[in-house]
Amino acid sequence: MSYAAFKMVHEPTGVENCASGYITHSFSDTPAPPALSSEDMEGEWFTKKNKELLAPIPNLVITKANVLEVYIVRVHEDNKRPALDATAPKRGSTMAGLCGAWFELACHYRLHENVESMAILSPGHDGGRRKRDAIILSFRDAKISVLEFDDSIHGLRTSSLHYFEGPDWQHLKRGREKFARGPLVQSDPLGRCSGVLIYDSQMIILKAAQAGYGLVGDDEASGSGGTVSVHIESSYIVNVHDLDMKHVKDFTFIHGYIEPVMVILHEREPTWAGRLAWKHHTCTISALSISMTLKQHPLIWSAPKLPHDAYKLLAVPFPIGGVLVICANSLHYHSQSVSCALALNDFAMTTEGSSEMPRSNIDVELDSAHATWISSDVALFSTKTGNLLLLSLVYDGRTVQRLELSKSKASSLASCISTVGDAFFFLGSRLGDSLLVQFSCGLASSSSISRSVKDEAGEVEAETPAAKRLRRASSDISQDVVSGEELSLYNSTPNNSDSSQKAFSFAVRDSLVNVGPLKDFTSGLRSNADLNATGVAKQSNYELVGCSGHGKNGSLCVLQQSIRPEQITEVELAGCKGIWTVYHKGSRSHASESAKLVPDEDEYHAYLIISLQSRTMVLETADTLGEVTESVDYFVDGCTISAGNLFGRRRVVQVYARGVRILDGGYMTQELCIEVPNADASSGSDNAVVSTVSIVDPYVLLKMTDGSIQLIVGDPATCTVAINSATISPSFADPIAACSLYHDKGPDPWLRKTSTDAWLSTGAADDLEVTDGSPQDQGDIYCVICRESGRLDLFEVPSFRCVFSIDKFTSGKNILVDTYLPDLPSDAQRTVKEETSEGDKQESGQNMKVIEIAMQKWSGQYGRPFLFGILSDGTILCYHAYFYEGQDNMVKMEGGSMVENAVNSISTSRLRNLRFTRVFLDSLTREEAEAGASGQRIVNFSNIGGYQGAFLAGTRPAWLMVCRERLRLHPQLCDGPIVAFTPLHNINCNHGFIYYTAQGFLKICQLPSLNYDNDWPVKKIPLRGTPHQITYFAEKNLYALIVSFPVSRPVSQVLPSLVDQDNNHLTEGDNIISEDAHKSYAVDEFEVRILEPAKSGSQWEARASVPLQTSENAISVRIVTLLNTSTKENETLLAIGTAYVQGEDVAARGRIILASIKQDSNNSDNWVNEVYSKELKGAISSLASLQGHLLIAAGSKIILHQWNGEELNGFAFYDAPHYVVSLNIVKKFILFGDIHKSIYFLNWKEEGAQLSLLAKDFGSLNCYATEFLIDGTTLSLVVSDDQKNIQIFYYAPKSMESWKGQKLLPRAEFHVGAHVSKFLRLQMLPTSLSDRTNRYALLCGTLDGSIGCVAPLDELTFRRLQTLQRKLVDVVPHVAGLNPRAFRRFRSNGNAHRPGPDNIVDCELLRYYEMLPLDDQLEIAHQIGTTRSQILINLNDLNVGTSFL
């Protein structure tokens, strides 16, 4: 393999930065409160508390490595009125008028750089309410991007870029090359400026533009619909070093000054733990007044002699002002006039000559804590142990008298925290799930104190049972959480004994799943695997089991890239064309009354209709599926085209080739014959039959084989149907290619808002409500029609008035805008023909046709419709609608030309404000449309296993699930092509589904209970400890896992083990023990657990554990196959390598343990038997089996051992430089990575029993993980390092540069942007172009929860994709101005490094190719000398080859 591709198959999930601000709306864009009746106004519902909650909630902006996401927080108010959104989740109990809140995704970007820090620049309160906030992002080494939300594209655009890198700015580094952290950003609370600290010594001041002063010019107001975001006007540099501030630790802007005031925390002379007795109060804070016009910054006050462990500043909000200095062992408040402090534990030291610090009631360490303000005088701290603390400032006027700290709840281990509005805060975590928590403040009373005592054990956590978490993860689904299982966790902790103190209650409202940090993972068999599967289907037999999280957030993550349904039953059936399930509500009165008790969600299906080649089967879906074909009036003598329900599920409609039947249960009430109107007898009208059908109550839309369409309209009063006369006249020049009906549901239909006369209809809706709610709740119905020329029209039904048109829908533009074009005149058609003939020389994009179109809005008050189109070349276009009110009637097209509306009168009451933005469908593999395939591929479902979305049938089926207004795409590859699919809900198959495979099997299934709101469906198994390493025992289907958990030990037990080697020096130790014998100290205890994976429906179970000795840490665990030299038989054993951690005074030792595993269901003690153990010098860091021998890395030695059934005997060794972090073996070749000295390539020679060095990398590299990459007969060596790079080396002894074979030569290098902690080698699947079987790709697990894939490529494909990649760098717009080539350049952090070859292509950039408009795709392919189809085949093959798990 000389060439490779890198692909991110799972995005990062660990949240690193979070902030809240008004990004998608301004503070004054309050959502209008619901219309209130007079009694509501008088009632208690409209209290002051609810007035506050109606204030707009700011957006939440989060970053996860290189991913930027903006969320809208939606709330579900609990009031006497019916819920505004009947389908919104009712989560837990009611608090402060809200019974639920959840995240909805506004926009999501993968950036070409990791975000270092983030701040929100807000316009301040005076007159800035109409303005929106801007997002400031900083990137290494000194890049700053300012982003704002642009309504016209419904996404972020860059408003300014600030760059302080490269040769021009080299002097800012002051001669240094290495920096511990990237740039740090903070914003002034009143939005006048921002500060960015770069290179630890330079402060960039970014001056915000004042009102009425613009850089961007006039198009700004029109560009974002009249609302303007804050933007940066200019910037300048302040050299902090010249102000005598060395070692800046943190800075912030404080409240309450006329000019911006920046407080900087710095350390004049650093100290360290060994010198604390002499030098301890070394930190200082200095407050500078920033005058941006004069570019001056005078010092206005300072506070010296702060503890050396101060690390963070927190600005105290208005009206108190001042700053809080957070230290590891104390808290200090300072303002210009007053200061006070609070000691947190015994390590807090007071300065000489000052009075004793007051001591807090609780002992706590605040190092690496995160804090935010939940009211103007109460700060919430999240500590390193995951506890929440409340700090109250007791003040009089603006003078703070003292600080009080109290304990609150336990939560996940936070990496960032932010208050969102007045009622929520967000805990972002890299080590566990991130939580949205609602808080409510009241006054503590005696009853609440007693309640808090009762509730001490309660935790603010997301570790709920899988079923409940599933329900919570899907946002817009009606949920039936039983009141006994509420997620709301109340707690009221009074701050002190004073009765008027505030007390806070907390309730978890939503969570974002996190699978990181992935320290180790392995692949194992799924519980519902099919052992006979082959090819791609065999891949979905396996799942990825990873060690994730830390401490109490530690868990096993079970990840599956493709869905394998839980099968209930399967039947063999030949020649099925389609399947449908229908409901039936009886027309008799008592039946309808009983039906009212069951919500629509939970109503069982009545019939299953199966269309075969020449007949139709009907089955009853009661307790058993019984065939009732003979006893019902369905059309059964031919195949059915479609079936569905009409008239509120009281009737079933069945459409066949020449007619329509309406049935009440099994009885036919009406039959319509379909005749094609105004067709001449000569034109063979007999041939025109129904080809596709779309059913939306009370309409049925038929598309005939001759391209005409017919609409059948139902009358709900009589439950009869008739053919509607008003349809679209068929155009022979431009026949209809595909059509579909769209139901804009709800009392307040979404599309109605986008109409130009929307303001007319709002008042009318309220009047209608009074009469009868039922017809008004129906919403509006539209017909989407796509023509052969690629034009798409949206018509109102039944009048067929065109309200929205898109020209050339097939070209796949990024933004779709209404272009009103009357039917094309003849000369326009001529130009179209000319274009085609001209385009033939490249590759014709004109023969692209839409073969299926669908538009769907899933339930939810805030849902926006999705538009799907399947093209004839297999491309699937997906768009999401959004609302944009443009300033003028000119519509700017992508090409830059302006299309003016034709006569204004024509354009009235069109959906002028409707736009669509293109959505990524990332891992979707294309398939060519088969000729004559008429079956519907997109099937919508509203509740399968608690999720909603669409199923995509075809040769590579997939699920599209809508979670938080975001499409999650999950392939289903286990059954090969799927012909037909339909949901099924009955007593035996609860919210399940039926599908028919191309092999001729009808399968009834349910979704496995996983969380599908993730890139890969995931299930987390909480361990309540930190998992370290995992290995899979395939023969017995078991996992061995190293887990550690903290245990409190008396100091007397901990200290002797640290100094027991040297009893003479115990004098100081004796004092400690006598004084503090009652104190305890937390130490980690390790064990190796044997886990059995869940059988279907059960939980994972720990079958046995191998306990270790005190202060013994397990480092590695492997299943090894050893050759017993006495019996000459192979034995499979569990090998555990450990290390004794006893301080730096004790020589390192380790122990190797061999154990046998056997399954004994009766007695758990018999599962693991220790066969052998032996102590060795040095920690045992890695293990592997090499041709029946055991290879052990002990300390800096690698020793090969023989096993004779009783003991291990070392008989070959190799000296490693420092410490071996990983060992890999292929045949007789050994690859190991050293912690500082890169990789070594060894060979095992049986004859002389020796381990000989073949070659090594002479550079110094801090290795994280290593693995072999195999491509046919080529062997390459892959290594990841501490700077988030991967490198690929090869062994070429005949090459001149390899110094006679001693040196490994670099083959490729690449910056991943995440620490790769583990490589897993998996065999690639053969594809259409390459049938090479001996090809392996590497899955890379990273510490931020992302999973990458390095796959080998052949040279021709690589050259083609590399040329395309270079082209795309210039074509694809760069979000936040970041360059993809700079991102992927090898990072050496100041160490000498000679650049290696660029032999890896970046699929993160290549994935944008399919998102380009069709003309651009053809143009680029032409420029690089290939065809679009060739590029798509290469990308597709890469997708198919790496569709693991």
Side-chain angles (χ1 to χ4, degrees):
M1 182 236 71
S2 303
Y3 309 100
F6 176 82
K7 182 179 167 196
M8 193 63 83
V9 290
H10 187 290
E11 283 185 356
T13 55
V15 177
E16 288 168 3
N17 299 294
C18 65
S20 68
Y22 295 97
I23 308 297
T24 61
H25 54 278
S26 67
F27 184 82
S28 59
D29 296 347
T30 53
L36 298 173
S37 61
S38 54
E39 61 263 28
D40 277 333
M41 292 294 268
E42 292 156 15
E44 59 191 327
W45 178 73
F46 201 70
T47 56
K48 177 174 177 290
K49 180 84 49 186
N50 285 74
K51 274 186 189 166
E52 286 168 19
L53 284 167
L54 287 173
I57 300 174
N59 299 97
L60 177 76
V61 187
I62 62 174
T63 70
K64 313 168 178 181
N66 67 327
V67 170
L68 172 69
E69 292 177 337
V70 180
Y71 286 99
I72 300 165
V73 179
R74 300 290 189 197
V75 295
H76 187 176
E77 291 174 24
D78 187 38
N79 45 46
K80 292 179 189 168
R81 300 167 56 79
L84 294 173
D85 181 1
T87 54
K90 235 188 133 122
R91 298 229 165 92
S93 57
T94 303
M95 179 194 285
L98 295 186
C99 60
W102 65 97
F103 287 127
E104 180 185 298
L105 187 73
C107 55
H108 164 271
Y109 293 98
R110 286 197 208 173
L111 308 176
H112 294 294
E113 189 66 68
N114 288 4
V115 178
E116 289 294 319
S117 68
M118 171 174 69
I120 300 291
L121 183 61
S122 61
H125 296 294
D126 46 325
R129 299 261 163 146
R130 291 279 304 144
K131 275 193 167 184
R132 293 184 186 172
D133 301 350
I135 305 170
I136 304 179
L137 302 176
S138 74
F139 309 92
R140 277 186 190 264
D141 288 322
K143 292 186 276 285
I144 302 144
S145 298
V146 185
L147 304 175
E148 59 182 48
F149 191 80
D150 184 356
D151 287 322
S152 64
I153 57 168
H154 198 73
L156 297 174
R157 68 168 182 188
T158 311
S159 69
S160 64
L161 298 171
H162 309 268
Y163 184 78
F164 298 94
E165 291 176 21
D168 297 351
W169 301 98
Q170 196 67 32
H171 62 279
L172 297 180
K173 293 186 178 182
R174 303 176 54 84
R176 287 176 61 189
E177 282 298 330
K178 294 186 183 180
F179 298 96
R181 64 175 176 199
L184 180 65
V185 189
Q186 297 285 357
S187 283
D188 174 43
L190 292 180
R192 295 162 292 194
C193 67
S194 280
V196 187
L197 179 71
I198 60 169
Y199 303 133
D200 294 346
S201 64
Q202 310 290 336
M203 183 70 70
I204 314 279
I205 304 292
L206 303 174
K207 182 185 178 186
Q210 297 307 309
Y213 187 96
L215 261 186
V216 190
D218 298 335
D219 78 281
E220 189 168 56
S222 62
S224 49
T227 50
V228 182
S229 302
V230 191
H231 57 262
I232 300 298
E233 177 193 311
S234 60
S235 62
Y236 65 95
I237 300 176
V238 177
N239 189 334
V240 183
H241 211 271
D242 294 350
L243 303 173
D244 197 24
M245 295 184 194
K246 300 170 185 131
H247 312 290
V248 176
K249 292 184 165 190
D250 195 19
F251 74 98
T252 189
F253 288 89
I254 57 175
H255 296 252
Y257 287 85
I258 296 168
E259 283 202 317
V261 171
M262 177 191 286
V263 177
I264 299 178
L265 171 68
H266 55 103
E267 193 170 21
R268 290 248 163 100
E269 298 175 49
T271 182
W272 65 288
R275 279 190 60 79
L276 279 186
W278 292 271
K279 198 195 263 189
H280 40 77
H281 281 65
T282 54
C283 287
T284 303
I285 56 171
S286 306
L288 308 176
S289 176
I290 307 291
S291 167
M292 289 174 289
T293 45
L294 302 172
K295 296 193 179 174
Q296 290 178 346
H297 28 269
L299 178 72
I300 52 174
W301 57 270
S302 68
K305 294 199 174 174
L306 287 166
H308 74 285
D309 54 13
Y311 66 96
K312 187 180 275 190
L313 298 175
L314 193 64
V316 180
F318 195 77
I320 303 173
V323 66
L324 205 58
V325 185
I326 304 170
C327 313
N329 306 307
S330 56
L331 285 167
H332 302 258
Y333 169 80
H334 286 275
S335 70
Q336 197 159 352
S337 53
V338 69
S339 66
C340 57
L342 183 70
L344 303 173
N345 52 44
D346 293 343
F347 298 111
M349 294 156 77
T350 50
T351 49
E352 296 86 1
S354 66
S355 58
E356 192 68 27
M357 259 195 285
R359 177 75 192 269
S360 84
N361 307 328
I362 50 174
D363 253 22
V364 68
E365 292 164 11
L366 272 193
D367 49 324
S368 67
H370 299 274
T372 186
W373 294 95
I374 54 176
S375 78
S376 61
D377 59 342
V378 179
L380 180 80
F381 282 80
S382 171
T383 66
K384 62 182 178 183
T385 54
N387 290 318
L388 295 181
L389 307 174
L390 293 170
L391 176 76
S392 299
L393 276 61
V394 181
Y395 65 99
D396 178 18
R398 288 187 67 172
T399 309
V400 175
Q401 294 160 343
R402 64 180 192 278
L403 308 174
E404 292 186 349
L405 193 67
S406 60
K407 254 194 176 141
S408 183
K409 277 296 178 72
S411 75
S412 54
L413 300 167
S415 59
C416 56
I417 184 170
S418 172
T419 313
V420 185
D422 302 331
F424 298 96
F425 64 86
F426 176 74
L427 283 166
S429 175
R430 273 181 63 92
L431 300 171
D433 291 353
S434 300
L435 309 177
L436 176 70
V437 182
Q438 185 188 350
F439 64 88
S440 159
C441 171
L443 293 180
S445 60
S446 55
S447 65
S448 67
I449 293 169
S450 64
R451 187 171 58 186
S452 77
V453 173
K454 254 187 282 179
D455 209 50
E456 204 56 51
E459 294 198 0
V460 178
E461 289 237 13
E463 302 294 355
T464 46
K468 272 196 292 182
R469 168 177 290 175
L470 249 187
R471 290 212 160 275
R472 195 174 71 201
S474 49
S475 63
D476 279 355
I477 299 154
S478 68
Q479 307 200 352
D480 46 2
V481 178
V482 187
S483 56
E485 311 181 312
E486 284 171 351
L487 296 164
S488 151
L489 299 153
Y490 271 77
N491 185 25
S492 310
T493 311
N495 288 333
N496 66 5
S497 54
D498 188 17
S499 62
S500 65
Q501 277 292 312
K502 291 179 180 174
F504 286 86
S505 330
F506 298 113
V508 177
R509 292 307 192 188
D510 202 353
S511 72
L512 300 176
V513 74
N514 173 23
V515 299
L518 284 169
K519 295 174 202 154
D520 188 28
F521 56 49
T522 183
S523 67
L525 215 58
R526 296 191 193 183
S527 57
N528 58 350
D530 172 18
L531 301 175
N532 303 322
T534 55
V536 182
K538 188 177 180 181
Q539 278 299 331
S540 57
N541 276 346
Y542 298 94
E543 61 195 5
L544 200 66
V545 182
C547 299
S548 152
H550 179 84
K552 62 179 182 183
N553 291 142
S555 62
L556 276 189
C557 279
V558 183
L559 291 146
Q560 305 175 353
Q561 187 173 3
S562 64
I563 292 176
R564 176 179 277 278
E566 300 277 358
Q567 189 174 304
I568 295 173
T569 179
E570 73 170 358
V571 186
E572 196 163 354
L573 190 70
C576 172
K577 294 278 208 183
I579 47 179
W580 301 269
T581 44
V582 291
Y583 298 97
H584 174 232
K585 280 189 176 164
S587 52
R588 293 177 300 286
S589 59
H590 67 88
S592 60
E593 275 165 28
S594 65
K596 269 180 199 164
L597 302 175
V598 181
D600 279 0
E601 274 306 85
D602 296 328
E603 189 187 340
Y604 286 156
H605 283 106
Y607 293 102
L608 168 67
I609 298 160
I610 303 175
S611 170
L612 303 173
Q613 292 283 7
S614 57
R615 65 190 186 94
T616 295
M617 282 170 71
V618 183
L619 288 84
E620 213 166 17
T621 57
D623 300 356
T624 58
L625 285 178
E627 188 173 346
V628 290
T629 311
E630 302 303 318
S631 57
V632 291
D633 293 344
Y634 282 84
F635 174 79
V636 294
D637 300 333
C639 55
T640 301
I641 309 290
S642 183
N645 282 97
L646 291 182
F647 313 124
R649 300 185 177 174
R650 286 177 296 163
R651 295 286 185 274
V652 176
V653 56
Q654 180 196 15
V655 182
Y656 52 96
R658 296 187 179 279
V660 176
R661 284 193 187 186
I662 305 294
L663 301 106
D664 182 358
Y667 306 103
M668 180 168 73
T669 59
Q670 188 186 0
E671 181 164 23
L672 265 186
C673 285
I674 304 295
E675 292 170 359
V676 181
N678 63 30
D680 307 330
S682 60
S683 69
S685 61
D686 297 350
N687 303 336
V689 292
V690 179
S691 77
T692 60
V693 182
S694 176
I695 302 171
V696 165
D697 189 11
Y699 299 104
V700 181
L701 181 73
L702 312 175
K703 177 178 166 282
M704 314 303 284
T705 46
D706 66 351
S708 64
I709 61 169
Q710 301 214 12
L711 182 71
I712 294 176
V713 185
D715 177 4
T718 60
C719 290
T720 56
V721 297
I723 293 178
N724 185 25
S725 54
T727 54
I728 302 162
S729 55
S731 154
F732 296 109
D734 195 4
I736 291 170
C739 59
S740 166
L741 290 175
Y742 162 61
H743 186 189
D744 203 19
K745 297 191 192 74
D748 187 12
W750 191 86
L751 279 185
R752 216 181 270 176
K753 301 174 198 166
T754 66
S755 167
T756 39
D757 50 10
W759 55 276
L760 289 172
S761 60
T762 48
D766 300 335
D767 302 338
L768 282 169
E769 216 168 322
V770 186
T771 54
D772 179 19
S774 54
Q776 213 264 322
D777 286 348
Q778 296 297 318
D780 302 331
I781 294 173
Y782 296 88
C783 170
V784 190
I785 285 181
C786 221
R787 299 187 178 271
E788 300 252 336
S789 66
R791 175 172 162 188
L792 182 138
D793 294 304
L794 197 60
F795 293 92
E796 276 183 357
V797 171
S799 65
F800 278 98
R801 188 168 62 79
C802 180
V803 290
F804 186 84
S805 310
I806 300 155
D807 206 30
K808 293 199 181 154
F809 171 69
T810 45
S811 68
K813 294 192 180 80
N814 284 327
I815 304 285
L816 301 182
V817 186
D818 178 25
T819 51
Y820 178 73
L821 293 170
D823 287 334
L824 284 177
S826 53
D827 55 336
Q829 288 176 14
R830 199 178 313 125
T831 54
V832 170
K833 287 196 181 81
E834 283 163 18
E835 276 175 30
T836 19
S837 57
E838 183 195 355
D840 283 341
K841 65 174 183 283
Q842 295 177 16
E843 178 186 9
S844 175
Q846 295 292 340
N847 54 12
M848 290 265 266
K849 285 208 299 281
V850 176
I851 53 173
E852 187 173 339
I853 190 104
M855 190 164 164
Q856 180 70 17
K857 175 169 93 81
W858 283 274
S859 56
Q861 176 193 356
Y862 304 104
R864 310 195 311 274
F866 286 92
L867 177 67
F868 299 96
I870 302 181
L871 306 188
S872 49
D873 73 333
T875 308
I876 295 176
L877 299 176
C878 172
Y879 288 91
H880 202 177
Y882 66 95
F883 174 84
Y884 170 65
E885 195 164 358
Q887 293 302 95
D888 49 9
N889 279 337
M890 302 285 276
V891 178
K892 196 165 188 179
M893 299 305 291
E894 278 193 2
S897 60
M898 306 285 272
V899 178
E900 188 155 4
N901 284 338
V903 198
N904 238 353
S905 58
I906 302 177
S907 71
T908 48
S909 81
R910 286 174 70 83
L911 304 179
R912 301 292 302 154
N913 300 330
L914 170 64
R915 288 195 177 187
F916 289 91
T917 179
R918 180 107 182 252
V919 178
F920 254 126
L921 289 182
D922 212 15
S923 51
L924 193 56
T925 327
R926 341 165 40 81
E927 48 188 271
E928 291 288 330
E930 302 139 32
S934 64
Q936 186 185 358
R937 278 187 57 196
I938 301 171
V939 183
N940 295 319
F941 57 86
S942 59
N943 186 351
I944 291 184
Y947 286 87
Q948 51 188 355
F951 183 82
L952 202 60
T955 52
R956 288 181 68 80
W959 294 76
L960 295 165
M961 292 180 179
V962 182
C963 307
R964 312 180 196 282
E965 279 300 289
R966 173 182 189 169
L967 272 189
R968 294 286 193 183
L969 188 133
H970 302 304
Q972 179 181 324
L973 309 172
C974 56
D975 295 290
I978 288 179
V979 178
F981 172 96
T982 186
L984 171 69
H985 178 46
N986 73 359
I987 195 158
N988 296 322
C989 177
N990 212 324
H991 294 299
F993 52 96
I994 306 185
Y995 60 92
Y996 180 75
T997 68
Q999 281 87 35
F1001 287 94
L1002 190 73
K1003 301 193 176 190
I1004 301 179
C1005 302
Q1006 283 176 305
L1007 272 182
S1009 58
L1010 302 168
N1011 183 351
Y1012 294 92
D1013 185 17
N1014 191 38
D1015 282 358
W1016 290 11
V1018 61
K1019 180 176 193 173
K1020 289 183 83 167
I1021 295 120
L1023 296 170
R1024 296 286 171 185
T1026 306
H1028 296 274
Q1029 206 174 57
I1030 188 166
T1031 186
Y1032 179 58
F1033 189 9
E1035 288 172 31
K1036 303 250 191 325
N1037 191 27
L1038 296 171
Y1039 291 89
L1041 170 74
I1042 298 177
V1043 189
S1044 70
F1045 37 88
V1047 176
S1048 284
R1049 283 272 157 78
V1051 174
S1052 54
Q1053 278 186 30
V1054 178
L1055 273 174
S1057 72
L1058 298 179
V1059 286
D1060 60 358
Q1061 304 293 311
D1062 201 352
N1063 288 320
N1064 309 331
H1065 294 277
L1066 255 177
T1067 48
E1068 285 181 45
D1070 280 329
N1071 296 342
I1072 296 172
I1073 290 167
S1074 59
E1075 284 172 26
D1076 299 339
H1078 63 283
K1079 293 210 169 175
S1080 63
Y1081 183 78
V1083 289
D1084 276 347
E1085 281 208 352
F1086 282 74
E1087 67 176 29
V1088 177
R1089 286 186 199 165
I1090 307 299
L1091 295 174
E1092 188 171 32
K1095 300 280 186 288
S1096 54
S1098 68
Q1099 296 296 321
W1100 283 59
E1101 284 185 48
R1103 290 299 183 188
S1105 71
V1106 182
L1108 301 176
Q1109 298 165 13
T1110 50
S1111 73
E1112 183 180 23
N1113 292 9
I1115 300 182
S1116 62
V1117 60
R1118 286 285 175 264
I1119 299 289
V1120 291
T1121 303
L1122 303 183
L1123 177 69
N1124 187 331
T1125 50
S1126 48
T1127 64
K1128 301 291 182 216
E1129 285 180 356
N1130 283 335
E1131 293 180 22
T1132 305
L1133 298 171
L1134 174 71
I1136 303 167
T1138 73
Y1140 291 97
V1141 179
Q1142 292 171 316
E1144 58 187 11
D1145 303 323
V1146 184
R1149 293 174 299 139
R1151 190 160 67 114
I1152 173 76
I1153 303 168
L1154 293 180
S1156 66
I1157 300 179
K1158 52 177 186 285
Q1159 284 165 313
D1160 185 347
S1161 51
N1162 304 325
N1163 187 357
S1164 64
D1165 299 341
N1166 294 349
W1167 279 69
V1168 179
N1169 267 332
E1170 190 176 305
V1171 179
Y1172 173 79
S1173 82
K1174 168 185 171 182
E1175 277 198 9
L1176 296 168
K1177 279 184 188 170
I1180 296 177
S1181 56
S1182 297
L1183 302 164
S1185 60
L1186 170 64
Q1187 300 190 335
H1189 308 307
L1190 183 62
L1191 192 63
I1192 299 175
S1196 60
K1197 263 195 169 52
I1198 294 180
I1199 311 167
L1200 191 63
H1201 290 77
Q1202 256 180 350
W1203 170 244
N1204 63 9
E1206 311 229 328
E1207 61 176 351
L1208 286 170
N1209 297 311
F1211 69 109
F1213 73 93
Y1214 181 82
D1215 278 327
H1218 295 279
Y1219 176 86
V1220 176
V1221 290
S1222 69
L1223 267 180
N1224 308 98
I1225 290 175
V1226 164
K1227 295 186 176 169
K1228 56 179 185 171
F1229 297 111
I1230 302 159
L1231 164 67
F1232 76 82
D1234 184 79
I1235 194 162
H1236 290 310
K1237 286 289 177 190
S1238 198
I1239 56 171
Y1240 285 67
F1241 186 41
L1242 311 180
N1243 182 23
W1244 156 242
K1245 290 181 180 161
E1246 191 88 56
E1247 303 87 61
Q1250 69 185 79
L1251 292 170
S1252 58
L1253 176 70
L1254 292 175
K1256 65 177 184 175
D1257 173 28
F1258 281 81
S1260 61
L1261 193 74
N1262 299 346
C1263 290
Y1264 265 50
T1266 58
E1267 187 51 277
F1268 287 104
L1269 187 60
I1270 301 169
D1271 181 17
T1273 54
T1274 316
L1275 190 66
S1276 305
L1277 320 168
V1278 184
V1279 57
S1280 67
D1281 65 30
D1282 64 332
Q1283 295 301 317
K1284 308 183 179 180
N1285 306 305
I1286 52 177
Q1287 281 174 281
I1288 303 178
F1289 291 93
Y1290 69 109
Y1291 175 56
K1294 294 179 181 163
S1295 164
M1296 289 277 289
E1297 299 135 39
S1298 70
W1299 302 349
K1300 296 187 178 171
Q1302 297 176 61
K1303 183 183 176 187
L1304 288 170
L1305 298 178
R1307 186 161 256 168
E1309 58 185 28
F1310 189 81
H1311 183 71
V1312 175
H1315 287 122
V1316 176
S1317 51
K1318 164 81 177 189
F1319 289 110
L1320 180 67
R1321 192 170 68 233
L1322 294 171
Q1323 188 162 7
M1324 286 177 75
L1325 299 161
T1327 57
S1328 59
L1329 290 180
S1330 161
D1331 47 2
R1332 242 189 252 181
T1333 49
N1334 195 25
R1335 262 197 143 159
Y1336 288 82
L1338 301 182
L1339 277 190
C1340 330
T1342 71
L1343 295 185
D1344 54 25
S1346 58
I1347 301 172
C1349 176
V1350 179
L1353 286 181
D1354 54 77
E1355 183 171 0
L1356 186 66
T1357 307
F1358 169 77
R1359 295 275 176 237
R1360 182 180 296 126
L1361 294 181
Q1362 190 187 41
T1363 321
L1364 173 65
Q1365 178 181 314
R1366 288 176 180 153
K1367 200 83 197 152
L1368 287 177
V1369 170
D1370 302 330
V1371 175
V1372 173
H1374 300 169
V1375 182
L1378 297 163
N1379 189 312
R1381 284 181 69 181
F1383 179 37
R1384 296 308 186 185
R1385 198 173 292 142
F1386 186 89
R1387 312 275 168 98
S1388 60
N1389 194 23
N1391 296 327
H1393 173 77
R1394 191 172 157 205
D1398 176 22
N1399 284 344
I1400 299 188
V1401 292
D1402 179 14
C1403 292
E1404 285 293 277
L1405 184 56
L1406 293 176
R1407 70 187 198 128
Y1408 286 100
Y1409 179 72
E1410 291 188 64
M1411 288 292 291
L1412 293 172
L1414 180 64
D1415 300 340
D1416 294 3
Q1417 290 184 31
L1418 296 171
E1419 178 64 27
I1420 289 171
H1422 181 59
Q1423 285 173 4
I1424 64 174
T1426 180
T1427 62
R1428 170 179 180 266
S1429 54
Q1430 185 60 59
I1431 293 171
L1432 294 178
I1433 286 169
N1434 289 149
L1435 294 174
N1436 193 25
D1437 282 353
L1438 196 58
N1439 261 347
V1440 174
T1442 57
S1443 43
F1444 306 120
L1445 312 162

